[in-house]
Each structure stands twice: as C-alpha cells, then as structure tokens.
Amino acid sequence: MRPVYLLDTNIISELARPRPDKAVVDMFFRNVHRSAVPAVAWGECLYGLKRIPDSRRRQVLTDFYMNTVLDALPFMPFDEHAANIYSDIKSRLQKAGRPAPELDMQIASVAIANNMILVTRNVGDFSCMASVSALMLENWFS
C-alpha cells in the first residue's frame, strides 16, 4: 500500500515521549501502514537524539528510533522532484516577503512531490507554504 501520510518531526518525537498524546498514538496505529517519514525529518530526529547526553533517556530514545521507527516506516527522500517543488515554494514565498524555515520547506516539498498529506502539530508553520502550493496538512493532536 502506498503511503498517504508524511509524518513531521514533531509527530515522531511525540510518539517517543513517556506519555504521548493519545490522539496521536491512536491515529498513528490506525495509519502506520499508510505512513512514511521524510528523510529530512529523520535527520532532525537523529540530531535531537545526538544532543542528549549519554543517559538512560538517550538509550530508550535510540532504541525507539532504531527499532520502532526504522522497522515500521518507510523513508521518503528529498529527490529531484521535491527539489523542484522546493524551489517553487521558496521563490513564491520570497516574492511575497514571507520566508519559511528551510527544513520545513523541504519536508513540505517531499509531501507534495509524493502527493501525501503532511501530518504535523505545527499546521500554522506550514500554512504559508500551503498558500502557495498544493500542500495538504493534517493535525493528529487532540
């Protein structure tokens, strides 16, 4: 089955919390086989992990990322098609005087390139991109 949902960094990190939002967990398990992770978000997750000092918490998170995320979800690359979409979004936002974070624009571009719905808690952060593109957004938080 082709993935429908592209999970933003904050969805993956929410799932790793000691007490994650129940709505996010429920939606994730209902849609795990229809979800994927953008490689850009995976990089953000790994960067966050590497910033945590050696500790039990870091080990638990490492196990979660390496054994749960890697086993359950496919990764979507920032490829040539996504790069083309990224350049369109960035130029349109620049012309409108509405800059956006680079990594968020890359994540949005991967979603659009693969005709996927970007799942994020930060719908507002991506709304400027949605206003100049075909980006579809969904918030799984209660």
Side-chain angles (χ1 to χ4, degrees), residues 25-88:
V25 172
D26 290 346
M27 287 297 289
F28 175 75
F29 282 111
R30 264 189 261 149
N31 295 291
V32 69
H33 298 296
R34 299 174 358 149
S35 299
V37 176
V40 175
W42 182 242
E44 287 185 307
C45 289
L46 294 178
Y47 169 69
L49 184 63
K50 290 175 182 178
R51 292 181 59 214
I52 298 171
D54 281 338
S55 62
R56 173 79 179 130
R57 179 174 176 251
R58 182 175 175 171
Q59 185 57 52
V60 167
L61 287 173
T62 299
D63 289 345
F64 171 77
Y65 286 138
M66 299 306 162
N67 297 321
T68 303
V69 176
L70 280 177
D71 287 347
L73 300 168
F75 286 82
M76 305 303 286
F78 181 78
D79 60 12
E80 181 182 353
H81 185 50
N84 188 40
I85 292 167
Y86 162 83
S87 69
D88 287 342

Short mmCIF file of all heavy atoms in Angstrom, two decimals, residues 25-88:
data_model
loop_
_atom_site.label_atom_id
_atom_site.label_comp_id
_atom_site.label_asym_id
_atom_site.label_seq_id
_atom_site.Cartn_x
_atom_site.Cartn_y
_atom_site.Cartn_z
N VAL A 25 -1.21 8.83 19.12
CA VAL A 25 -0.92 7.39 19.17
C VAL A 25 -2.01 6.60 18.44
O VAL A 25 -1.72 5.73 17.62
CB VAL A 25 -0.77 6.91 20.63
CG1 VAL A 25 -0.67 5.40 20.70
CG2 VAL A 25 0.44 7.56 21.29
N ASP A 26 -3.27 6.94 18.70
CA ASP A 26 -4.38 6.24 18.04
C ASP A 26 -4.31 6.40 16.52
O ASP A 26 -4.46 5.43 15.78
CB ASP A 26 -5.72 6.74 18.56
CG ASP A 26 -6.00 6.33 20.00
OD1 ASP A 26 -5.29 5.44 20.52
OD2 ASP A 26 -6.93 6.91 20.60
N MET A 27 -4.12 7.63 16.07
CA MET A 27 -4.05 7.88 14.61
C MET A 27 -2.84 7.18 14.00
O MET A 27 -2.92 6.63 12.90
CB MET A 27 -4.01 9.38 14.32
CG MET A 27 -5.33 10.07 14.56
SD MET A 27 -6.65 9.48 13.48
CE MET A 27 -6.14 10.15 11.91
N PHE A 28 -1.73 7.19 14.72
CA PHE A 28 -0.53 6.52 14.21
C PHE A 28 -0.80 5.02 14.00
O PHE A 28 -0.52 4.48 12.94
CB PHE A 28 0.66 6.72 15.14
CG PHE A 28 1.87 5.95 14.72
CD1 PHE A 28 2.63 6.36 13.64
CD2 PHE A 28 2.23 4.78 15.38
CE1 PHE A 28 3.74 5.63 13.23
CE2 PHE A 28 3.33 4.05 14.98
CZ PHE A 28 4.09 4.48 13.91
N PHE A 29 -1.34 4.37 15.01
CA PHE A 29 -1.57 2.92 14.89
C PHE A 29 -2.65 2.60 13.85
O PHE A 29 -2.58 1.57 13.20
CB PHE A 29 -1.86 2.28 16.25
CG PHE A 29 -0.59 2.09 17.04
CD1 PHE A 29 -0.36 2.83 18.17
CD2 PHE A 29 0.38 1.19 16.61
CE1 PHE A 29 0.83 2.68 18.90
CE2 PHE A 29 1.56 1.03 17.32
CZ PHE A 29 1.79 1.78 18.46
N ARG A 30 -3.62 3.48 13.68
CA ARG A 30 -4.62 3.28 12.63
C ARG A 30 -4.02 3.43 11.24
O ARG A 30 -4.53 2.86 10.28
CB ARG A 30 -5.76 4.28 12.79
CG ARG A 30 -6.92 3.70 13.54
CD ARG A 30 -8.11 4.62 13.49
NE ARG A 30 -8.10 5.34 14.77
CZ ARG A 30 -8.53 6.55 14.96
NH1 ARG A 30 -9.06 7.24 13.98
NH2 ARG A 30 -8.47 7.11 16.14
N ASN A 31 -2.96 4.23 11.15
CA ASN A 31 -2.41 4.58 9.84
C ASN A 31 -0.95 4.20 9.64
O ASN A 31 -0.32 4.67 8.70
CB ASN A 31 -2.57 6.09 9.61
CG ASN A 31 -4.01 6.49 9.53
OD1 ASN A 31 -4.70 6.14 8.58
ND2 ASN A 31 -4.49 7.20 10.54
N VAL A 32 -0.40 3.36 10.49
CA VAL A 32 1.03 3.04 10.42
C VAL A 32 1.42 2.49 9.05
O VAL A 32 2.48 2.80 8.54
CB VAL A 32 1.46 2.11 11.57
CG1 VAL A 32 0.86 0.72 11.42
CG2 VAL A 32 2.98 2.03 11.66
N HIS A 33 0.55 1.69 8.43
CA HIS A 33 0.88 1.10 7.13
C HIS A 33 0.65 2.06 5.98
O HIS A 33 0.96 1.72 4.83
CB HIS A 33 0.10 -0.20 6.92
CG HIS A 33 0.45 -1.23 7.95
ND1 HIS A 33 1.71 -1.78 8.06
CD2 HIS A 33 -0.28 -1.79 8.95
CE1 HIS A 33 1.73 -2.64 9.07
NE2 HIS A 33 0.53 -2.66 9.62
N ARG A 34 0.11 3.23 6.30
CA ARG A 34 -0.13 4.25 5.28
C ARG A 34 0.71 5.50 5.55
O ARG A 34 0.43 6.56 5.00
CB ARG A 34 -1.62 4.62 5.26
CG ARG A 34 -2.49 3.45 4.93
CD ARG A 34 -3.98 3.72 5.03
NE ARG A 34 -4.36 5.04 5.47
CZ ARG A 34 -5.47 5.65 5.09
NH1 ARG A 34 -6.30 5.07 4.26
NH2 ARG A 34 -5.79 6.84 5.55
N SER A 35 1.73 5.35 6.39
CA SER A 35 2.55 6.49 6.79
C SER A 35 4.01 6.30 6.40
O SER A 35 4.47 5.17 6.25
CB SER A 35 2.46 6.70 8.30
OG SER A 35 1.13 6.97 8.69
N ALA A 36 4.70 7.42 6.27
CA ALA A 36 6.14 7.42 5.96
C ALA A 36 6.78 8.62 6.65
O ALA A 36 6.08 9.52 7.15
CB ALA A 36 6.35 7.48 4.45
N VAL A 37 8.10 8.62 6.65
CA VAL A 37 8.88 9.69 7.27
C VAL A 37 9.75 10.35 6.20
O VAL A 37 10.43 9.65 5.45
CB VAL A 37 9.80 9.12 8.38
CG1 VAL A 37 10.69 10.20 8.96
CG2 VAL A 37 8.97 8.46 9.46
N PRO A 38 9.73 11.67 6.13
CA PRO A 38 10.66 12.32 5.19
C PRO A 38 12.08 12.19 5.73
O PRO A 38 12.31 12.34 6.94
CB PRO A 38 10.20 13.78 5.16
CG PRO A 38 9.44 13.98 6.43
CD PRO A 38 8.89 12.64 6.83
N ALA A 39 13.02 11.90 4.87
CA ALA A 39 14.41 11.75 5.30
C ALA A 39 14.89 13.00 6.04
O ALA A 39 15.68 12.91 6.99
CB ALA A 39 15.30 11.46 4.10
N VAL A 40 14.38 14.16 5.65
CA VAL A 40 14.76 15.42 6.32
C VAL A 40 14.34 15.38 7.79
O VAL A 40 15.11 15.77 8.67
CB VAL A 40 14.11 16.62 5.59
CG1 VAL A 40 14.38 17.91 6.32
CG2 VAL A 40 14.59 16.70 4.15
N ALA A 41 13.13 14.92 8.07
CA ALA A 41 12.66 14.83 9.46
C ALA A 41 13.46 13.79 10.24
O ALA A 41 13.74 13.98 11.43
CB ALA A 41 11.16 14.49 9.49
N TRP A 42 13.83 12.70 9.58
CA TRP A 42 14.66 11.68 10.24
C TRP A 42 15.98 12.31 10.68
O TRP A 42 16.46 12.07 11.79
CB TRP A 42 14.88 10.50 9.30
CG TRP A 42 15.67 9.39 9.90
CD1 TRP A 42 16.87 8.93 9.47
CD2 TRP A 42 15.35 8.59 11.04
NE1 TRP A 42 17.31 7.89 10.26
CE2 TRP A 42 16.39 7.67 11.23
CE3 TRP A 42 14.27 8.58 11.91
CZ2 TRP A 42 16.38 6.74 12.27
CZ3 TRP A 42 14.26 7.64 12.95
CH2 TRP A 42 15.31 6.74 13.11
N GLY A 43 16.55 13.13 9.82
CA GLY A 43 17.78 13.83 10.19
C GLY A 43 17.59 14.73 11.39
O GLY A 43 18.44 14.79 12.28
N GLU A 44 16.44 15.42 11.46
CA GLU A 44 16.14 16.27 12.61
C GLU A 44 16.02 15.42 13.88
O GLU A 44 16.52 15.82 14.94
CB GLU A 44 14.84 17.04 12.39
CG GLU A 44 14.96 18.17 11.40
CD GLU A 44 13.67 18.98 11.30
OE1 GLU A 44 12.59 18.38 11.08
OE2 GLU A 44 13.76 20.21 11.47
N CYS A 45 15.38 14.27 13.78
CA CYS A 45 15.23 13.38 14.94
C CYS A 45 16.59 12.90 15.43
O CYS A 45 16.87 12.91 16.64
CB CYS A 45 14.36 12.17 14.59
SG CYS A 45 12.63 12.54 14.37
N LEU A 46 17.42 12.46 14.50
CA LEU A 46 18.76 11.97 14.89
C LEU A 46 19.61 13.08 15.49
O LEU A 46 20.36 12.86 16.44
CB LEU A 46 19.46 11.34 13.69
CG LEU A 46 18.81 10.06 13.15
CD1 LEU A 46 19.57 9.56 11.93
CD2 LEU A 46 18.71 9.00 14.22
N TYR A 47 19.51 14.28 14.95
CA TYR A 47 20.24 15.43 15.50
C TYR A 47 19.80 15.67 16.95
O TYR A 47 20.63 15.84 17.84
CB TYR A 47 20.00 16.67 14.66
CG TYR A 47 20.50 17.94 15.31
CD1 TYR A 47 21.87 18.17 15.46
CD2 TYR A 47 19.61 18.89 15.78
CE1 TYR A 47 22.33 19.32 16.08
CE2 TYR A 47 20.06 20.04 16.40
CZ TYR A 47 21.42 20.25 16.55
OH TYR A 47 21.87 21.39 17.16
N GLY A 48 18.48 15.67 17.18
CA GLY A 48 17.98 15.85 18.54
C GLY A 48 18.47 14.77 19.48
O GLY A 48 18.84 15.04 20.63
N LEU A 49 18.50 13.55 18.99
CA LEU A 49 18.98 12.42 19.78
C LEU A 49 20.46 12.61 20.17
O LEU A 49 20.85 12.38 21.31
CB LEU A 49 18.80 11.13 18.99
CG LEU A 49 19.15 9.83 19.66
CD1 LEU A 49 18.26 9.59 20.87
CD2 LEU A 49 19.01 8.69 18.67
N LYS A 50 21.26 13.05 19.23
CA LYS A 50 22.70 13.23 19.47
C LYS A 50 23.00 14.38 20.41
O LYS A 50 24.09 14.44 20.98
CB LYS A 50 23.43 13.40 18.15
CG LYS A 50 23.44 12.11 17.36
CD LYS A 50 24.05 12.26 15.99
CE LYS A 50 23.96 10.91 15.28
NZ LYS A 50 24.49 10.96 13.94
N ARG A 51 22.04 15.27 20.60
CA ARG A 51 22.24 16.39 21.51
C ARG A 51 22.00 15.99 22.97
O ARG A 51 22.40 16.71 23.88
CB ARG A 51 21.30 17.54 21.14
CG ARG A 51 21.67 18.16 19.81
CD ARG A 51 20.76 19.32 19.46
NE ARG A 51 20.84 20.34 20.49
CZ ARG A 51 19.82 21.10 20.87
NH1 ARG A 51 18.65 20.95 20.32
NH2 ARG A 51 19.98 22.01 21.80
N ILE A 52 21.36 14.84 23.20
CA ILE A 52 21.07 14.38 24.55
C ILE A 52 22.33 13.74 25.12
O ILE A 52 22.93 12.88 24.48
CB ILE A 52 19.91 13.36 24.54
CG1 ILE A 52 18.64 14.00 24.00
CG2 ILE A 52 19.68 12.79 25.94
CD1 ILE A 52 17.52 13.00 23.75
N PRO A 53 22.73 14.13 26.32
CA PRO A 53 23.91 13.49 26.94
C PRO A 53 23.67 11.98 27.12
O PRO A 53 22.54 11.53 27.23
CB PRO A 53 24.03 14.18 28.30
CG PRO A 53 23.18 15.39 28.22
CD PRO A 53 22.14 15.15 27.16
N ASP A 54 24.78 11.23 27.15
CA ASP A 54 24.66 9.79 27.40
C ASP A 54 23.88 9.57 28.68
O ASP A 54 24.24 10.10 29.74
CB ASP A 54 26.05 9.15 27.53
CG ASP A 54 26.70 8.92 26.18
OD1 ASP A 54 25.97 8.86 25.17
OD2 ASP A 54 27.93 8.80 26.13
N SER A 55 22.79 8.82 28.56
CA SER A 55 21.92 8.60 29.70
C SER A 55 20.94 7.48 29.37
O SER A 55 20.88 7.00 28.23
CB SER A 55 21.13 9.88 30.02
OG SER A 55 20.30 10.22 28.91
N ARG A 56 20.17 7.10 30.34
CA ARG A 56 19.12 6.10 30.14
C ARG A 56 18.10 6.62 29.13
O ARG A 56 17.63 5.89 28.27
CB ARG A 56 18.46 5.77 31.48
CG ARG A 56 17.24 4.89 31.38
CD ARG A 56 17.63 3.43 31.21
NE ARG A 56 16.43 2.62 31.14
CZ ARG A 56 16.19 1.73 30.20
NH1 ARG A 56 17.07 1.49 29.26
NH2 ARG A 56 15.08 1.05 30.20
N ARG A 57 17.75 7.90 29.24
CA ARG A 57 16.79 8.51 28.32
C ARG A 57 17.28 8.42 26.87
O ARG A 57 16.52 8.07 25.97
CB ARG A 57 16.54 9.97 28.70
CG ARG A 57 15.58 10.69 27.78
CD ARG A 57 15.26 12.09 28.32
NE ARG A 57 14.41 12.78 27.37
CZ ARG A 57 14.80 13.80 26.62
NH1 ARG A 57 16.03 14.27 26.73
NH2 ARG A 57 13.97 14.36 25.78
N ARG A 58 18.54 8.73 26.67
CA ARG A 58 19.10 8.65 25.31
C ARG A 58 19.04 7.22 24.79
O ARG A 58 18.74 6.99 23.62
CB ARG A 58 20.53 9.18 25.29
CG ARG A 58 21.12 9.16 23.89
CD ARG A 58 22.49 9.79 23.85
NE ARG A 58 23.06 9.66 22.53
CZ ARG A 58 24.17 10.24 22.14
NH1 ARG A 58 24.83 11.02 22.98
NH2 ARG A 58 24.63 10.06 20.94
N GLN A 59 19.33 6.25 25.63
CA GLN A 59 19.30 4.84 25.22
C GLN A 59 17.88 4.41 24.85
O GLN A 59 17.68 3.74 23.84
CB GLN A 59 19.86 3.93 26.31
CG GLN A 59 19.95 2.48 25.89
CD GLN A 59 20.80 2.29 24.63
OE1 GLN A 59 21.92 2.76 24.56
NE2 GLN A 59 20.26 1.60 23.63
N VAL A 60 16.89 4.83 25.65
CA VAL A 60 15.49 4.49 25.36
C VAL A 60 15.07 5.11 24.03
O VAL A 60 14.44 4.44 23.19
CB VAL A 60 14.58 4.95 26.52
CG1 VAL A 60 13.11 4.90 26.12
CG2 VAL A 60 14.83 4.11 27.76
N LEU A 61 15.42 6.36 23.83
CA LEU A 61 15.07 7.02 22.56
C LEU A 61 15.79 6.40 21.37
O LEU A 61 15.20 6.22 20.31
CB LEU A 61 15.37 8.52 22.64
CG LEU A 61 14.43 9.33 23.51
CD1 LEU A 61 14.93 10.76 23.66
CD2 LEU A 61 13.02 9.31 22.95
N THR A 62 17.05 6.04 21.55
CA THR A 62 17.80 5.39 20.48
C THR A 62 17.12 4.07 20.11
O THR A 62 16.94 3.77 18.92
CB THR A 62 19.26 5.14 20.91
OG1 THR A 62 19.87 6.40 21.17
CG2 THR A 62 20.04 4.41 19.83
N ASP A 63 16.74 3.28 21.11
CA ASP A 63 16.04 2.02 20.85
C ASP A 63 14.73 2.27 20.10
O ASP A 63 14.41 1.56 19.15
CB ASP A 63 15.75 1.28 22.16
CG ASP A 63 17.01 0.70 22.79
OD1 ASP A 63 18.04 0.63 22.10
OD2 ASP A 63 16.94 0.34 23.98
N PHE A 64 13.98 3.29 20.52
CA PHE A 64 12.71 3.60 19.86
C PHE A 64 12.96 3.97 18.39
O PHE A 64 12.31 3.42 17.50
CB PHE A 64 11.99 4.75 20.58
CG PHE A 64 10.80 5.26 19.81
CD1 PHE A 64 9.61 4.54 19.81
CD2 PHE A 64 10.88 6.43 19.08
CE1 PHE A 64 8.52 4.99 19.09
CE2 PHE A 64 9.79 6.89 18.36
CZ PHE A 64 8.60 6.17 18.37
N TYR A 65 13.89 4.89 18.16
CA TYR A 65 14.13 5.32 16.78
C TYR A 65 14.66 4.19 15.91
O TYR A 65 14.21 3.99 14.79
CB TYR A 65 15.11 6.50 16.74
CG TYR A 65 14.51 7.81 17.20
CD1 TYR A 65 15.22 8.67 18.02
CD2 TYR A 65 13.23 8.19 16.83
CE1 TYR A 65 14.68 9.88 18.43
CE2 TYR A 65 12.69 9.39 17.25
CZ TYR A 65 13.41 10.24 18.04
OH TYR A 65 12.87 11.42 18.46
N MET A 66 15.62 3.44 16.43
CA MET A 66 16.26 2.42 15.62
C MET A 66 15.43 1.14 15.47
O MET A 66 15.51 0.47 14.44
CB MET A 66 17.64 2.07 16.19
CG MET A 66 18.59 3.23 16.22
SD MET A 66 18.76 3.99 14.59
CE MET A 66 19.46 5.55 15.02
N ASN A 67 14.64 0.81 16.49
CA ASN A 67 13.89 -0.44 16.43
C ASN A 67 12.42 -0.26 16.07
O ASN A 67 11.82 -1.17 15.52
CB ASN A 67 14.00 -1.19 17.76
CG ASN A 67 15.43 -1.58 18.04
OD1 ASN A 67 16.17 -1.97 17.15
ND2 ASN A 67 15.85 -1.45 19.29
N THR A 68 11.84 0.87 16.39
CA THR A 68 10.43 1.07 16.09
C THR A 68 10.26 1.86 14.80
O THR A 68 9.62 1.40 13.86
CB THR A 68 9.72 1.79 17.25
OG1 THR A 68 9.90 1.01 18.43
CG2 THR A 68 8.24 1.96 16.97
N VAL A 69 10.84 3.04 14.73
CA VAL A 69 10.66 3.89 13.55
C VAL A 69 11.25 3.23 12.32
O VAL A 69 10.59 3.12 11.28
CB VAL A 69 11.25 5.30 13.78
CG1 VAL A 69 11.15 6.13 12.52
CG2 VAL A 69 10.56 6.00 14.95
N LEU A 70 12.49 2.78 12.42
CA LEU A 70 13.14 2.17 11.25
C LEU A 70 12.42 0.92 10.77
O LEU A 70 12.35 0.67 9.57
CB LEU A 70 14.60 1.82 11.55
CG LEU A 70 15.59 2.98 11.49
CD1 LEU A 70 16.98 2.50 11.90
CD2 LEU A 70 15.64 3.61 10.12
N ASP A 71 11.87 0.13 11.69
CA ASP A 71 11.17 -1.10 11.31
C ASP A 71 9.78 -0.84 10.76
O ASP A 71 9.29 -1.59 9.92
CB ASP A 71 11.06 -2.05 12.51
CG ASP A 71 12.38 -2.70 12.86
OD1 ASP A 71 13.32 -2.61 12.05
OD2 ASP A 71 12.48 -3.28 13.95
N ALA A 72 9.11 0.20 11.25
CA ALA A 72 7.70 0.40 10.92
C ALA A 72 7.45 1.31 9.73
O ALA A 72 6.42 1.17 9.06
CB ALA A 72 6.97 0.97 12.14
N LEU A 73 8.34 2.24 9.46
CA LEU A 73 8.03 3.28 8.49
C LEU A 73 9.05 3.39 7.36
O LEU A 73 10.26 3.40 7.61
CB LEU A 73 7.96 4.64 9.21
CG LEU A 73 6.90 4.74 10.30
CD1 LEU A 73 7.12 5.99 11.13
CD2 LEU A 73 5.51 4.71 9.70
N PRO A 74 8.57 3.52 6.12
CA PRO A 74 9.49 3.79 5.02
C PRO A 74 9.92 5.26 5.04
O PRO A 74 9.25 6.10 5.64
CB PRO A 74 8.66 3.49 3.78
CG PRO A 74 7.25 3.69 4.20
CD PRO A 74 7.19 3.35 5.67
N PHE A 75 11.03 5.54 4.40
CA PHE A 75 11.54 6.90 4.33
C PHE A 75 11.34 7.45 2.93
O PHE A 75 11.51 6.73 1.94
CB PHE A 75 13.03 6.93 4.69
CG PHE A 75 13.25 6.74 6.16
CD1 PHE A 75 13.24 5.47 6.71
CD2 PHE A 75 13.42 7.82 6.99
CE1 PHE A 75 13.41 5.28 8.07
CE2 PHE A 75 13.58 7.65 8.35
CZ PHE A 75 13.58 6.37 8.89
N MET A 76 10.97 8.71 2.86
CA MET A 76 10.76 9.38 1.58
C MET A 76 11.91 10.37 1.39
O MET A 76 12.13 11.25 2.22
CB MET A 76 9.42 10.13 1.58
CG MET A 76 8.23 9.24 1.90
SD MET A 76 8.02 7.82 0.81
CE MET A 76 7.42 8.61 -0.65
N PRO A 77 12.64 10.24 0.28
CA PRO A 77 13.80 11.10 0.07
C PRO A 77 13.43 12.49 -0.44
O PRO A 77 12.36 12.70 -1.02
CB PRO A 77 14.59 10.34 -1.00
CG PRO A 77 13.53 9.65 -1.79
CD PRO A 77 12.47 9.25 -0.78
N PHE A 78 14.33 13.41 -0.21
CA PHE A 78 14.26 14.73 -0.84
C PHE A 78 14.98 14.55 -2.17
O PHE A 78 16.20 14.63 -2.25
CB PHE A 78 14.95 15.78 0.05
CG PHE A 78 14.90 17.17 -0.54
CD1 PHE A 78 13.74 17.92 -0.46
CD2 PHE A 78 16.01 17.71 -1.16
CE1 PHE A 78 13.69 19.21 -1.00
CE2 PHE A 78 15.97 19.00 -1.69
CZ PHE A 78 14.82 19.74 -1.61
N ASP A 79 14.21 14.26 -3.21
CA ASP A 79 14.78 13.92 -4.51
C ASP A 79 14.67 15.08 -5.49
O ASP A 79 14.31 16.21 -5.11
CB ASP A 79 14.12 12.65 -5.06
CG ASP A 79 12.61 12.80 -5.25
OD1 ASP A 79 12.08 13.94 -5.17
OD2 ASP A 79 11.96 11.77 -5.47
N GLU A 80 14.95 14.81 -6.75
CA GLU A 80 14.94 15.85 -7.79
C GLU A 80 13.57 16.51 -7.91
O GLU A 80 13.46 17.73 -8.04
CB GLU A 80 15.36 15.23 -9.12
CG GLU A 80 15.40 16.22 -10.27
CD GLU A 80 15.77 15.56 -11.59
OE1 GLU A 80 16.14 14.38 -11.61
OE2 GLU A 80 15.69 16.26 -12.61
N HIS A 81 12.51 15.70 -7.87
CA HIS A 81 11.15 16.25 -7.99
C HIS A 81 10.83 17.15 -6.79
O HIS A 81 10.30 18.25 -6.96
CB HIS A 81 10.15 15.09 -8.10
CG HIS A 81 8.74 15.52 -8.34
ND1 HIS A 81 8.38 16.42 -9.32
CD2 HIS A 81 7.59 15.18 -7.71
CE1 HIS A 81 7.06 16.60 -9.28
NE2 HIS A 81 6.57 15.86 -8.31
N ALA A 82 11.18 16.70 -5.60
CA ALA A 82 10.96 17.51 -4.40
C ALA A 82 11.79 18.79 -4.44
O ALA A 82 11.32 19.85 -4.03
CB ALA A 82 11.28 16.70 -3.14
N ALA A 83 13.00 18.69 -4.97
CA ALA A 83 13.86 19.88 -5.08
C ALA A 83 13.25 20.93 -6.00
O ALA A 83 13.32 22.14 -5.73
CB ALA A 83 15.25 19.48 -5.56
N ASN A 84 12.63 20.48 -7.07
CA ASN A 84 11.97 21.40 -7.98
C ASN A 84 10.79 22.10 -7.30
O ASN A 84 10.62 23.31 -7.42
CB ASN A 84 11.52 20.66 -9.24
CG ASN A 84 10.99 21.59 -10.31
OD1 ASN A 84 11.54 22.65 -10.53
ND2 ASN A 84 9.93 21.18 -10.96
N ILE A 85 10.01 21.34 -6.56
CA ILE A 85 8.88 21.91 -5.82
C ILE A 85 9.38 22.87 -4.75
O ILE A 85 8.83 23.96 -4.57
CB ILE A 85 8.02 20.78 -5.22
CG1 ILE A 85 7.33 20.01 -6.35
CG2 ILE A 85 7.01 21.32 -4.21
CD1 ILE A 85 6.71 18.71 -5.93
N TYR A 86 10.44 22.48 -4.06
CA TYR A 86 11.05 23.33 -3.04
C TYR A 86 11.43 24.69 -3.64
O TYR A 86 11.14 25.73 -3.05
CB TYR A 86 12.29 22.63 -2.47
CG TYR A 86 13.25 23.53 -1.75
CD1 TYR A 86 13.04 23.87 -0.42
CD2 TYR A 86 14.36 24.04 -2.40
CE1 TYR A 86 13.93 24.70 0.25
CE2 TYR A 86 15.25 24.87 -1.75
CZ TYR A 86 15.04 25.20 -0.42
OH TYR A 86 15.91 26.03 0.23
N SER A 87 12.05 24.68 -4.81
CA SER A 87 12.47 25.94 -5.42
C SER A 87 11.26 26.81 -5.77
O SER A 87 11.32 28.04 -5.63
CB SER A 87 13.34 25.69 -6.66
OG SER A 87 12.58 25.14 -7.72
N ASP A 88 10.16 26.19 -6.19
CA ASP A 88 8.93 26.95 -6.47
C ASP A 88 8.38 27.58 -5.20
O ASP A 88 8.04 28.77 -5.17
CB ASP A 88 7.86 26.05 -7.08
CG ASP A 88 8.14 25.67 -8.52
OD1 ASP A 88 8.96 26.35 -9.19
OD2 ASP A 88 7.54 24.68 -8.99
#
